[in-house]
Amino acid sequence: MNLAHTTVLLWTWGSLQAFEIVEKENIFQRTSCPAFLMFDNAAYLADMSFELPCHCKPEEVSAVVWYYQKHLGSGHTKVLTDFDGRVLTEEAQVRVGSDMLVRFSIRMFSLLVFRAQPEDSGLYFCGTRKGDYFYAYDVDIQSSEGMVATFKDQGQEPFEDEYHGSLHVFTTFWEWTPCDRCGVRGEQWRLGLCYLQSPDLSPRYRKTLPDVVSCGSRAVPSKLQAKARHHTPELLVRSCMVPCEKNKVVREGIMAIFNYVSKVGSRPWVPKVPIQFHQQRLGHGLIISCPGARPEHAVAWDKDHQFLYRTQYLKGVNRSMRVFIDHGNHLHIRFTQLSDRGIYYCWRQGTRVAGFRLGVTSRGRYRVSFSDPETRSAMELTLIGYLLITAVFVTVHLCRCCCYLFRCCPNFSP
């Protein structure tokens, strides 16, 4: 009897598995590919990761190939696959500024691009090895350079819409992020990207709203793009206050007991979050990243018991800032000083997840590298100074030559 029951259960489980596989395959059978290739418009901020699903494909196609073009009809086309559809890339292994061929992955016929850059904007095609396309995207990666932050607590308002005849340029905001801290005053923000509305858009690009696409879309003529070029992305920030979850409160209470016992000497001190130690040379720059955080996450930073709010430490609030948080949620410390020593805590989605104990030393050797932003800045300043001195030297001698030729200068020689 037990053997019969086991057989029935195995047969039922196998049937369910087969049904699940058939259902996944039927997704493509139910979705018919368009007879005329259209482009779905999608916009993201730089350093974000995004996924482009291949919504349709012929039933006989077992593996897809993704292609990239900067402009429609461009002679240069990148092939984003190993022709097996098995390219796997982990986001944690991808560095900012890497080539797009290193920052992509194909999973279940979908294309994943990690830490996208403005140079990745363009057209993405889902097709076959022979070059037959059956689905396409128009992707616009908007740069975070020049992004304007608006703080609602200070009474600031977002950009007003711009009108240039029939062209309407405006900002479309995403949903508010969760509060970046719990139990104390925190902050939450929402990202706004540039969009425009015009009747002069190309009909080959599919829009979510009539005649509305992102400002960097290939559907926008170059003349209209020039008018919307100065409308940068926006960041809307406001204060928030949320309680911590009960299990977090209980855990903190237990940690407080552990700390008290550790002072007595019966048990070692246990930190609330994992803490990593780093020693930095005095006068050099440092960039700290929050583990597992993405640009679209709600991330906050604390130094010991000091809260580093975006209202004071967001990049661009003050040009002379030495410590600031960029739009990718990284904490920057320029020209490290002895007062920077301490523990920097990182919050992600309202939970404190990690700590970095920073030590500052004036000893040790430092290998100069061109990948170091401080080294590049020093070289740029040196080169600019050299060019200015050269320009002044050439200008003075040109003036002297002109005066000598036209005899319009007095003779200062004895």
Side-chain angles (χ1 to χ4, degrees), residues 24-196:
K24 289 181 180 179
E25 293 178 352
N26 285 340
I27 294 176
F28 298 101
Q29 293 179 3
R30 292 194 302 264
T31 306
S32 58
C33 295
F36 188 72
L37 190 64
M38 302 285 289
F39 297 91
D40 286 354
N41 178 239
Y44 305 94
L45 188 67
D47 290 333
M48 284 188 174
S49 302
F50 61 89
E51 177 182 0
L52 302 178
C54 189
H55 286 301
C56 75
K57 71 176 185 65
E59 187 177 355
E60 62 274 9
V61 176
S62 59
V64 300
V65 179
W66 282 88
Y67 300 88
Y68 167 79
Q69 287 185 2
K70 191 68 175 178
H71 302 281
L72 184 61
S74 174
H76 182 64
T77 303
K78 290 184 179 180
V79 183
L80 308 178
T81 185
D82 61 352
F83 291 103
D84 287 326
R86 294 196 302 256
V87 175
L88 296 180
T89 304
E90 296 298 331
E91 185 177 9
Q93 301 175 358
V94 178
R95 294 185 177 182
V96 177
S98 303
D99 187 79
M100 183 177 61
L101 295 176
V102 183
R103 294 183 284 102
F104 81 95
S105 174
I106 297 178
R107 300 178 185 177
M108 289 299 295
F109 309 111
S110 297
L111 176 69
L112 281 76
V113 180
F114 303 110
R115 294 188 175 182
Q117 300 301 310
E119 296 78 18
D120 299 335
S121 299
L123 306 177
Y124 292 80
F125 302 86
C126 175
T128 62
R129 301 183 184 183
K130 299 180 180 180
D132 299 327
Y133 304 146
F134 30 80
Y135 210 86
Y137 288 90
D138 167 36
V139 178
D140 174 23
I141 309 298
Q142 301 187 11
S143 175
S144 59
E145 294 293 331
M147 177 186 288
V148 177
T150 302
F151 302 101
K152 295 199 66 177
D153 297 345
Q154 299 178 3
Q156 301 177 0
E157 296 294 335
F159 283 151
E160 294 183 356
D161 296 356
E162 300 178 20
Y163 294 91
H164 305 277
S166 60
L167 176 63
H168 178 201
V169 184
F170 58 94
T171 301
T172 299
F173 286 96
W174 294 13
E175 296 293 332
W176 287 100
T177 63
C179 197
D180 56 9
R181 295 176 177 88
C182 71
V184 296
R185 186 179 74 86
E187 294 176 329
Q188 57 181 167
W189 54 268
R190 61 191 307 188
L191 174 66
L193 298 179
C194 177
Y195 277 77
L196 58 82

Side-chain angles (χ1 to χ4, degrees), residues 63-362:
V64 300
V65 179
W66 282 88
Y67 300 88
Y68 167 79
Q69 287 185 2
K70 191 68 175 178
H71 302 281
L72 184 61
S74 174
H76 182 64
T77 303
K78 290 184 179 180
V79 183
L80 308 178
T81 185
D82 61 352
F83 291 103
D84 287 326
R86 294 196 302 256
V87 175
L88 296 180
T89 304
E90 296 298 331
E91 185 177 9
Q93 301 175 358
V94 178
R95 294 185 177 182
V96 177
S98 303
D99 187 79
M100 183 177 61
L101 295 176
V102 183
R103 294 183 284 102
F104 81 95
S105 174
I106 297 178
R107 300 178 185 177
M108 289 299 295
F109 309 111
S110 297
L111 176 69
L112 281 76
V113 180
F114 303 110
R115 294 188 175 182
Q117 300 301 310
E119 296 78 18
D120 299 335
S121 299
L123 306 177
Y124 292 80
F125 302 86
C126 175
T128 62
R129 301 183 184 183
K130 299 180 180 180
D132 299 327
Y133 304 146
F134 30 80
Y135 210 86
Y137 288 90
D138 167 36
V139 178
D140 174 23
I141 309 298
Q142 301 187 11
S143 175
S144 59
E145 294 293 331
M147 177 186 288
V148 177
T150 302
F151 302 101
K152 295 199 66 177
D153 297 345
Q154 299 178 3
Q156 301 177 0
E157 296 294 335
F159 283 151
E160 294 183 356
D161 296 356
E162 300 178 20
Y163 294 91
H164 305 277
S166 60
L167 176 63
H168 178 201
V169 184
F170 58 94
T171 301
T172 299
F173 286 96
W174 294 13
E175 296 293 332
W176 287 100
T177 63
C179 197
D180 56 9
R181 295 176 177 88
C182 71
V184 296
R185 186 179 74 86
E187 294 176 329
Q188 57 181 167
W189 54 268
R190 61 191 307 188
L191 174 66
L193 298 179
C194 177
Y195 277 77
L196 58 82
Q197 183 177 20
S198 174
D200 301 327
L201 304 178
S202 174
R204 290 200 62 178
Y205 297 82
R206 188 180 289 115
K207 303 98 178 173
T208 55
L209 295 174
D211 298 331
V212 174
V213 293
S214 60
C215 294
S217 170
R218 297 305 184 268
V220 183
S222 57
K223 294 182 179 179
L224 299 183
Q225 283 190 355
K227 295 181 179 179
R229 186 173 301 167
H230 301 290
H231 198 96
T232 58
E234 298 182 60
L235 192 69
L236 200 58
V237 183
R238 69 180 182 185
S239 299
C240 58
M241 184 77 178
V242 296
C244 294
E245 298 178 4
K246 291 184 179 180
N247 56 349
K248 296 180 183 178
V249 176
V250 172
R251 192 183 303 115
E252 290 183 0
I254 296 176
M255 298 303 298
I257 297 175
F258 282 171
N259 293 340
Y260 174 76
V261 175
S262 66
K263 293 178 181 178
V264 179
S266 303
R267 196 179 184 112
W269 175 78
V270 180
K272 297 180 180 180
V273 293
I275 294 181
Q276 178 182 354
F277 178 76
H278 178 77
Q279 194 157 343
Q280 183 73 6
R281 276 203 66 191
L282 182 67
H284 293 275
L286 177 66
I287 302 176
I288 307 177
S289 301
C290 187
R294 297 180 180 178
E296 60 268 25
H297 286 167
V299 177
W301 292 95
D302 300 338
K303 180 189 176 184
D304 295 328
H305 299 290
Q306 178 187 1
F307 303 126
L308 306 181
Y309 290 112
R310 278 180 167 81
T311 311
Q312 300 174 345
Y313 290 92
L314 184 64
K315 179 181 179 181
V317 173
N318 188 350
R319 294 185 178 181
S320 61
M321 296 174 64
R322 193 180 57 84
V323 179
F324 61 89
I325 303 172
D326 65 13
H327 299 296
N329 296 324
H330 303 97
L331 180 64
H332 294 246
I333 303 177
R334 302 181 60 189
F335 309 109
T336 310
Q337 300 178 359
L338 294 177
S339 59
D340 295 327
R341 291 180 293 188
I343 301 179
Y344 293 83
Y345 293 102
C346 165
W347 297 72
R348 188 186 68 226
Q349 299 293 87
T351 304
R352 186 183 288 184
V353 293
F356 303 87
R357 188 180 186 91
L358 178 62
V360 180
T361 178
S362 58

